[in-house]
Amino acid sequence: MKDLQTRWGIVGHEWAVESLEHAIRTKRAAHAFLIAGLHSVGKMTLARALAKRLLCLTNDAPIAQHSMFGDAAVVNEPPCGECRACIKNAKGVHPDVMILEGAPSRDYYTKNGSTAPPRKNDREKRILLVEQIRDMEKWLSTAPFEGSHKIGILRRFEDANEAAQNAFLKTLEEPPSHAILILTTQDAGLLLPTIVSRCQPLTLRPLPVETVEKALAEKWGASPADAELLARISGGRLGWAVRALESPHVLESRREALESLNALVRQGRAERITSAGGLAKEAGELPQVFETWQTWWRDLLLLAHNQAPRVTNVDYMPALEEQAGRFSDEDIHKALTATRAAARQLAQNVNARLVTEVLALHLPQG
Ligand SMILES: [Zn+2]
């Protein structure tokens, strides 16, 4: 298998790194990027690597030097990992990088400024407020402190409410010449089209399962068995696999999500309404639950079409095979569509209980 590392030291997404590197070298890099892709697929890793690449001080040095005998001695390529800027970026303390993400509530924001506290859980609902956008705008308006750029990273921009998106649109229309803006989102469809059209899009796909497996074993020290299973059930999302390796809670939540789905399909209407109410009480967990459910229905479709080697939930094979024999293709397609719709409605702030009840009633009866 080929080398894991790309030139920016990140695993996978080679095409994105290559196209960005080419744009930077030919001085055609955009002022704004929109990195889209599934939860934990590597969007923030790429955003941080891009910031590091742009601010690396090796940038200003020639890429290759030639000795008097004419042979090229390659100088460290940016990001070199060794200069003052690279070291600050690795520690997350470079003064020319600002990362903005939604805050849990307005109260919190007014008390604490733009620094959001750590998330209680991975999918805690947050809102990116217009005040935060204004803070970033003000920060961007002055010259860089140390580097050639000021880089604003706006994480999960789908959390920005309409006022914040509109305020940000103004920044995007006339950014200061030293400003580079990088947005990340799970779903560009949730952003204003006028924002999307002003950014260079980079859509990240899940990595090949073998790449995740190799990375878990080589970079994160996973045992061969853990690496194989986690790579498979991560569906190619390296960030998810690493968290699952480091925290048993991640696998436990997945197990609970799959068990609640398997219980639902065996229940009648009245019971489903009750179960849905229970699930909706943990509204912060629901996006993750619905994502896990989607992997289940996709697996059933794969089994129905003799694609067993591509199944994600390999550790649930007997249950999958049993259901694949019971549900029609149409049932499975309907369930998958309904689950996707529910995930999107949640992101659009439709009432969690209503969304979960409607979905529960649309699942096939097993
Ligand atoms: Zn450097």
Side-chain angles (χ1 to χ4, degrees), residues 61-365:
I63 297 296
Q65 285 176 343
H66 294 269
S67 74
M68 59 189 293
F69 304 108
D71 50 335
V74 178
V75 173
N76 271 350
E77 277 195 15
C80 68
E82 289 166 11
C83 71
R84 197 160 33 87
C86 280
I87 289 168
K88 283 187 179 172
N89 265 317
K91 289 186 188 156
V93 297
H94 198 296
D96 291 322
V97 179
M98 183 177 196
I99 299 177
L100 215 60
E101 65 176 317
S105 74
R106 182 168 288 269
D107 265 12
Y108 187 89
Y109 177 73
T110 43
K111 271 183 277 172
N112 298 280
S114 61
T115 320
R119 284 170 192 265
K120 278 203 236 81
N121 64 54
D122 193 52
R123 294 300 199 94
E124 186 190 357
K125 185 70 196 161
R126 293 183 171 211
I127 302 174
L128 188 64
L129 299 168
V130 68
E131 292 90 334
Q132 292 172 279
I133 300 288
R134 298 230 168 90
D135 279 356
M136 177 173 269
E137 213 162 64
K138 203 169 145 200
W139 175 79
L140 280 171
S141 69
T142 56
F145 296 103
E146 294 184 5
S148 46
H149 302 285
K150 265 189 172 174
I151 299 171
I153 300 176
L154 296 102
R155 186 179 193 184
R156 302 189 208 215
F157 199 66
E158 64 270 31
D159 289 348
N161 63 18
E162 209 180 317
Q165 291 208 31
N166 277 316
F168 183 70
L169 195 53
K170 295 211 182 73
T171 316
L172 261 186
E173 276 164 353
E174 285 176 48
S177 60
H178 56 255
I180 304 275
L181 298 158
I182 308 171
L183 311 185
T184 75
T185 183
Q186 282 179 49
D187 186 354
L190 296 171
L191 311 187
L192 293 176
T194 38
I195 288 183
V196 177
S197 68
R198 282 177 170 81
C199 298
Q200 181 181 329
L202 292 156
T203 301
L204 302 188
R205 306 267 164 234
L207 304 183
V209 169
E210 306 77 56
T211 306
V212 175
E213 184 180 340
K214 195 168 190 290
L216 287 176
E218 290 181 9
K219 282 188 79 171
W220 281 275
S223 70
D226 280 355
E228 191 186 347
L229 177 67
L230 292 177
R232 200 63 184 274
I233 62 185
S234 74
R237 295 169 303 141
L238 180 57
W240 187 91
V242 168
R243 272 206 315 286
L245 182 68
E246 289 169 352
S247 151
H249 167 78
V250 175
L251 278 180
E252 184 58 21
S253 305
R254 166 182 171 268
R255 192 185 60 76
E256 284 170 10
L258 291 178
E259 279 176 9
S260 62
L261 177 61
N262 277 284
L264 268 177
V265 295
R266 278 184 247 109
Q267 293 171 344
R269 288 180 66 89
E271 274 181 296
R272 287 186 186 202
I273 298 282
T274 311
S275 303
L279 284 166
K281 280 194 188 122
E282 303 285 337
E285 303 278 348
L286 279 181
Q288 187 69 58
V289 170
F290 291 173
E291 203 165 282
T292 305
W293 289 7
Q294 288 183 54
T295 66
W296 186 265
W297 299 115
R298 271 199 301 269
D299 282 352
L300 288 180
L301 277 185
L302 288 170
L303 281 182
H305 295 96
N306 301 315
Q307 306 257 353
R310 291 177 54 209
V311 160
T312 296
N313 298 294
V314 273
D315 47 342
Y316 282 80
M317 211 46 148
L320 282 168
E321 277 169 346
E322 189 256 328
Q323 286 190 18
R326 245 174 333 126
F327 294 137
S328 69
D329 247 30
E330 198 191 342
D331 283 342
I332 301 169
H333 270 294
K334 270 190 191 155
L336 183 55
T337 309
T339 313
R340 277 197 195 121
R344 182 168 268 218
Q345 285 164 350
L346 271 190
Q348 290 166 332
N349 289 320
V350 181
N351 177 280
R353 185 176 179 127
L354 181 67
V355 169
T356 315
E357 283 178 4
V358 170
L359 174 57
L361 294 175
H362 276 83
L363 299 177
Q365 181 79 43

